[in-house]
Every structure is written in C-alpha cells, then in structure tokens.
Amino acid sequence: MAKSPSKSPSPPRDQADPIEPDEPLAVDENADGDSTYGSIASSSASLTSSILKFRQENGRQYHAYKPERDYILPSDEQESERLDLQHHVFYLTFDNKLFTCPAGKDGKPLKRVLDAGTGTGIWAVDFGDEYPEAHVTGVDLSPIQPSFVPPNVAFYVDDLEEPWAYDRPFDLIYGRMLTGALTNWPQFISRCFDNLAPGGWLELDDILFPAASDDNTLLPDSSLAKWNEHVIKAGHLLNHSITSAKYYKQQMIDAGFVNVTEKVYKWPINPWPKDPKYKEIGVWTEENFCGGIFGLSVALFTRALGWTAEELEVFLVDVRKDLRDRGVHAYWPIYVVYGQKAEE
C-alpha cells in the first residue's frame, strides 16, 4: 500500500512554544470556493443494502445507518478526500509515525488493534502494512472504506456508543478526530479500558476548538473567531461537543488508566510560520479547512442554529479569507492523550 508523502523528521521541539511567523505574502481575496480536493458488537450489522444507502442533506451525503445518531460530518467523496488529507497532516506532525504512545515498544508485539471511528480506513490500512503481524479492526458508522485491503485488516459498520462485545482484548485502541462524533466520552473511554489487554494502550488524537494565536493576531471580531463561536455553540446544542479533547486526560485517569500523558501540538491555519515543518503543515491545513469548511459546518449551522445553507455559504466567504490571511498567526491546538491499562 502506498504511504502518505513523507519528509525527514525535524529536530525535537517544545510544541507549546510560540511559532515564529514568516514574512507575509499577498492573499488572493477572490479565492473563496470549496475545493474538492466474527460478531464484534451487539449492534454489528452486515453490509446490507440499507446500510449502503446514504441520505442527502444540503447537497451533501450522510450515512444512513442509525440516522438518529445525528452525526455532524458528511460521508461522501469530498469528505473522504478531506479525511485522507488530514491523515497526511498527522503523519507530518508525528514525524512519519502513525501513533505516539509507547505501544509495541516494550518488546511485546501488537497482536490486536482497534481503529475506533476509522473513517476512510487509511490509518488502519497503513498500520496493517507497517505491522503485518497485527490484526487491525476498523469500525465506523459509514461504509466508506476500501474493498481491497491487507489481509490483516478488516472493517465493520458499527456504532461505538452501543455496547461492545469483542471476544478478545486489544493491545492498542486508537481514536483520531472523534470530537463531535460521540455524546458520552466517559462511557467510550471506560469501554476502551475494559477492552484492552493488561499493558495495552489507548491513544486519542484530536483537535480543540477554538483556534488560538500567541500574538493576538486572531481578532475576536474576525469572521474566523465568530465561526469558532458558532460551531462550539452548535456542538453543545446537538450534544456533540467539539471541545472534548481538553477532558480526555482526566477522563482516562478516572477510568483507571495509568501512565496518562497529554501533549499539545499546533497546526498553523496557513503557511504563515517561518519554520519549514510548521510551514508545510500550514499549507495542508489551509487546504484541509478552506476546501472542507462547508462540510464541516453545514450540519451544525442548519440543524442547531437555524441557518440556511445559502446563508452559511455567504458567511464562509470571509471565514476562508481569514484562514488564508498570512497576517493571522493562528493555529489549531491538537491534543494527543494516551494511557495504559496496568499490567496484572
């Protein structure tokens, strides 16, 4: 399987340090368009025709399995492309690694791995390629994963918020960008704990809203700041919080995990940093958000805030301008939290 493009690892750095901005560049004010760049649980479902169907809403496609879950992101080709691009940004962030926790580094092989909320399945496929001795299970509400995968990778349509009934524990459970996807995080983290083998690890990698800036160049009355306020409010109204990442550390401790570690990385909103690694991350983050922001926003704004899709499109013109403005030295905080189930 082909890997994401990679760069040589950069020297270690303190991710909490401010990022030095590069010289500003002119911004194209007219560029504002969306680019299109066994039984496993009690509710497990085979890929029947009903599950393979999708529902349409505001010009985007959403999963048909358990529509009452009110999942806020689309399940269509545009979103799949955005998710695969996002995978590349994580790969750059972690210096060409698929995860950061110590799983598998103590001489114990990773035999069983769960990718919770696998999306397009790109992480699970890459992991299966890199660790051919591991059996990787990917679970998602939407059947958007590829048909041809490594022999040690399997995908299932399932709801992570239903009771789990795995017959064997996992050595690693990985969840990425699940903020807004779940309604009961303590329950999910407890289930992860219960389904890990002694010594196994849980790693959660997630974005935290709102965007931040260390030099106050993200003005509170800017369109981007207002967009952040709107999506946070909408997430809470729909009981799909998008500020969940800041609670993962304590929730893991409460669930019984040990060796709990939290790291915060930064994704610049565009290529404003001087540092080459941050600049490259900014290039892809700008594409990820500017190209996908309608899909990221439309369910939140229309279902919770009462906006029309047309009103949202007008508003997003100025949000994209802020995202492309090299004078706005903002970034998305990326929380990486992992913990271990103690050895017996």
Side-chain angles (χ1 to χ4, degrees):
M1 292 286 176
K3 298 285 187 182
S4 301
S6 60
K7 296 290 181 181
S8 299
S10 298
R13 70 191 77 204
D14 184 349
Q15 294 291 344
D17 287 344
I19 305 173
E20 182 181 358
D22 201 358
E23 295 297 322
L25 298 173
V27 178
D28 181 359
E29 298 290 347
N30 295 317
D32 58 4
D34 261 324
S35 67
T36 54
Y37 231 167
S39 172
I40 64 168
S42 63
S43 64
S44 295
S46 60
L47 293 180
T48 62
S49 59
S50 62
I51 292 175
L52 291 171
K53 291 180 180 178
F54 292 87
R55 54 193 177 90
Q56 301 295 320
E57 182 180 332
N58 294 309
R60 299 301 295 266
Q61 180 174 278
Y62 293 81
H63 70 87
Y65 178 53
K66 294 204 170 184
E68 69 276 9
R69 286 276 282 104
D70 209 24
Y71 185 58
I72 61 177
L73 294 180
S75 296
D76 52 23
E77 184 176 352
Q78 289 172 268
E79 177 64 6
S80 292
E81 290 176 354
R82 190 193 68 80
L83 290 173
D84 286 351
L85 176 56
Q86 183 175 268
H87 174 75
H88 176 55
V89 182
F90 270 106
Y91 204 63
L92 292 173
T93 304
F94 297 158
D95 293 324
N96 306 335
K97 298 181 179 69
L98 291 171
F99 60 97
T100 67
C101 72
K105 297 176 184 177
D106 55 1
K108 296 177 62 176
L110 296 173
K111 296 179 180 178
R112 284 175 51 80
V113 177
L114 175 64
D115 183 12
T118 190
T120 65
I122 189 170
W123 185 91
V125 169
D126 278 1
F127 193 98
D129 278 340
E130 191 168 328
Y131 296 87
E133 72 283 1
H135 178 77
V136 186
T137 299
V139 173
D140 201 273
L141 281 169
S142 295
I144 57 173
Q145 301 77 36
S147 300
F148 298 100
V149 298
N152 58 330
V153 177
F155 295 116
Y156 299 89
V157 175
D158 205 359
D159 184 354
L160 292 170
E161 298 209 278
E162 292 291 333
W164 295 12
Y166 296 104
D167 54 4
R168 288 183 293 160
F170 296 96
D171 302 302
L172 170 64
I173 297 177
Y174 183 77
R176 185 172 70 186
M177 289 301 203
L178 294 178
T179 195
L182 304 177
T183 61
N184 190 333
W185 274 99
Q187 174 183 267
F188 170 76
I189 290 173
S190 292
R191 285 177 176 165
C192 289
F193 183 85
D194 293 341
N195 284 272
L196 280 169
W201 292 85
L202 167 65
E203 177 170 329
L204 299 174
D205 305 341
D206 230 325
I207 192 170
L208 179 69
F209 292 88
S213 66
D214 296 325
D215 60 1
N216 300 315
T217 51
L218 177 57
L219 302 178
D221 61 348
S222 65
S223 295
L224 178 55
K226 293 177 181 177
W227 180 82
N228 277 274
E229 293 173 2
H230 289 320
V231 296
I232 291 171
K233 178 182 178 181
H236 283 300
L237 288 172
L238 295 174
N239 196 27
H240 285 273
S241 172
I242 60 171
T243 61
S244 57
K246 60 186 176 182
Y247 305 110
Y248 295 163
K249 181 180 180 181
Q250 187 59 50
Q251 288 169 345
M252 284 192 192
I253 293 171
D254 293 344
F257 284 91
V258 298
N259 300 321
V260 178
T261 302
E262 176 185 274
K263 299 179 182 178
V264 182
Y265 296 80
K266 297 177 179 181
W267 283 3
I269 65 170
N270 62 51
W272 62 261
K274 185 176 182 179
D275 179 277
K277 177 178 176 178
Y278 281 124
K279 182 178 288 292
E280 183 174 10
I281 291 174
V283 168
W284 296 112
T285 302
E286 178 184 344
E287 176 62 33
N288 188 30
F289 272 87
C290 287
I293 197 167
F294 179 80
L296 293 171
S297 308
V298 64
L300 289 167
F301 278 72
T302 59
R303 296 177 192 171
L305 303 182
W307 290 41
T308 67
E310 293 73 22
E311 289 170 334
L312 174 62
E313 283 282 27
V314 172
F315 173 61
L316 291 180
V317 170
D318 288 332
V319 177
R320 292 189 188 95
K321 288 178 181 178
D322 286 347
L323 287 169
R324 292 189 172 104
D325 188 345
R326 306 299 190 262
V328 179
H329 303 151
Y331 58 86
W332 305 104
I334 303 296
Y335 277 63
V336 174
V337 188
Y338 55 78
Q340 185 181 28
K341 186 172 183 175
E343 298 274 6
E344 291 181 344

